[in-house]
Amino acid sequence: MSGGHAHHQLYLDRETAIHRLAPQCKIAAVLVFVIAVVATPRETDWPYAVYALALLGVAAVARVPALVVVRRMVVEIPFVIFALLLPIIARGPRVDVLGVSLSANGLESAFILLAKGTLGVVASILLAATTRPRDLLLGLQRLRMPETLVQIMTFMFRYVEVVLAEMTRMRIARESRGFQARHAGHLRVLANSAGALFIRSYERGERVHLAMLSRGYVGRMPVLVDVRSAPSQWAVAALLPLVAVATTAAAWVIR
Amino acid sequence: MTASLLVEELAFAYPDGHQALFGVNLAVQRGERVAVLGPNGAGKTTLVLHLNGILTGGRGTVQVAGLPVVKENLREIRRRVGIVFQDPDDQLFMPSVREDVAFGPANLGMRGPELEERVHEALALVGMAQFADRPPHHLSYGQRRRVAVATVLAMRPEILVLDEPSSNLDPASRRELADILLGLPVTILMVTHDLPYAFQLCPRSVLLDGGVIVADGSTYDLLCDTATMSAHRLELPFGFDPRSVGAPAG
């Protein structure tokens, strides 16, 4: 049985200047951009418009449709809920909005949290839409991320579909015997399945390790693919973080 | 001539006390293809894991082309013994077919064009050269099994050890794999329950049961020996009669 091809969903296959940039340049650019956004002084709100415009520019050059970005922003929902709660639960002076008494501090914090969070999420979505997952890992390796972490992520990328397929087979087996999760009591059954899935994955990990040892693995993965970057690529990738850093710096000066 | 594989008086008990092997003797000459038959729990997997030193510490010795399987030699032993595990998803753990096939030779220190050449050669042997840049999970099961064979062929092994090579293959993939294996210039030891497959591929079979070799001879003779077969829980599939195919020449 073959599973669906669920994994490249985040990546949009295009031929643009941004797609062609070496992954390590893009990762570093997003990281610096996010740090600059987070460092924006509390008292200002105009910088967020600049950041958003900068991201809009990147999306336009990379030909990533707005709808795609919006649809993927669902990952942010838990933050949004938290942000929406802030004005209600925060203390301090209160203001009336449509007859509801809200905390002024909370409103401000909620706006900042939402703005910063959204910008970070959009930047990551753009990174994922323009870089293949495999290249992301190679980029992290190039940026000297600890080898073990890169290895863990590489194996995750390789085995996520195998584990998902296993999960699907277990669900089909459950349902074929008449099981349907209808009330909280059924959580017990689902928890058992999760445990069984964990054990199976663990055992697979042991078998994979055996197969690795059998082919001469001695604790270090050989580096077989490398992604090189030219200074010109770094220069192009630096544009986005430069805009963000300049904006933050200006905001600190003129606040 | 030195045997490809020489197992002498091999005995092994797992740490929990379960004794799996009770003195196995087996010699496989260079270029031979030998099937290891036996019911579940006979000790087949335990034997396989001794061949490249994953399991050690029992009694007896294993030699691969004259080199004893001991800790100092493990690197060379693992080059000489290529094990193809049953589930290709266990064997193919790298992000692309090319990297997976390169993993073994790269661990031996090979790099650059020489490594490229080795990868291409191994993939060509199993007819998968055009799939080098695919991720393994985009291949069919039969293709993955063939790539799994290539991952060990890339190390130019002295002996190829296959664990249930025909399991989960559809009939066409099963035959394609057989054609590939028959064309390989390498010693083969094949653990299987698939008796027709053993008969097709291996002129010689050994029967492992209860941790010892209880029969060793031509596959044809063994499959025709109904008394020995049934004594060790081996049965021919319905409708299959080796006599209707006939004893292989030579």
Side-chain angles (χ1 to χ4, degrees), chain B residues 89-145:
Chain B
D89 277 329
D90 295 343
Q91 183 107 20
L92 308 177
F93 43 78
M94 297 291 276
S96 73
V97 165
R98 179 193 307 282
E99 287 164 84
D100 229 307
V101 178
F103 181 85
N107 280 329
L108 301 171
M110 210 174 268
R111 290 290 184 276
E114 192 192 11
L115 179 62
E116 271 298 304
E117 173 57 36
R118 192 62 85 82
V119 169
H120 182 80
E121 167 197 292
L123 282 173
L125 278 172
V126 300
M128 290 294 292
Q130 70 273 39
F131 296 94
D133 291 311
R134 295 274 204 94
H137 50 267
H138 281 188
L139 303 176
S140 75
Y141 201 87
Q143 290 172 328
R144 273 182 275 168
R145 175 70 48 79

Side-chain angles (χ1 to χ4, degrees), chain A residues 5 7 134 154-155 158-159 161-162 204 207-208 210-217 220-222 224-225, chain B residues 52 54 78 85 87 89-95 99-100 102-104 106-107 111 115 136-138 151 155:
Chain A
H5 292 192
H7 52 289
R134 171 76 183 124
T154 309
F155 281 111
R158 164 67 182 90
Y159 283 101
E161 277 192 37
V162 175
R204 181 177 298 278
R207 292 198 304 273
V208 171
L210 269 189
M212 292 171 73
L213 290 178
S214 297
R215 281 195 275 150
Y217 177 72
R220 284 188 65 95
M221 296 294 272
L224 298 169
V225 186
Chain B
N52 71 347
I54 295 278
R78 286 177 184 168
F85 291 94
D87 185 344
D89 277 329
D90 295 343
Q91 183 107 20
L92 308 177
F93 43 78
M94 297 291 276
E99 287 164 84
D100 229 307
F103 181 85
N107 280 329
R111 290 290 184 276
L115 179 62
H137 50 267
H138 281 188
T151 63
M155 303 175 80

Side-chain angles (χ1 to χ4, degrees), chain A residues 136-138 140-141 144-157 217 219 221:
Chain A
L136 277 178
L137 293 168
L138 292 171
L140 290 170
Q141 182 176 300
R144 302 277 145 80
M145 185 183 229
E147 203 186 323
T148 316
L149 291 180
V150 177
Q151 279 184 32
I152 290 172
M153 288 193 281
T154 309
F155 281 111
M156 199 173 80
F157 170 58
Y217 177 72
M221 296 294 272

Side-chain angles (χ1 to χ4, degrees), chain B residues 161-231:
Chain B
V161 180
L162 300 147
D163 190 3
E164 292 290 356
S166 60
S167 66
N168 289 326
L169 294 185
D170 59 33
S173 311
R174 186 174 178 277
R175 178 192 41 79
E176 284 161 5
L177 183 66
D179 291 343
I180 288 163
L181 293 177
L182 283 170
L184 292 178
V186 62
T187 312
I188 289 180
L189 189 74
M190 180 173 119
V191 173
T192 187
H193 288 301
D194 185 342
L195 301 179
Y197 215 50
F199 183 49
Q200 182 186 356
L201 288 173
C202 303
R204 176 182 160 207
S205 286
V206 296
L207 174 48
L208 187 69
D209 196 10
V212 288
I213 302 268
V214 292
D216 182 346
S218 97
T219 306
Y220 179 79
D221 292 343
L222 180 65
L223 296 194
C224 292
D225 182 353
T226 17
T228 308
M229 291 270 286
S230 62

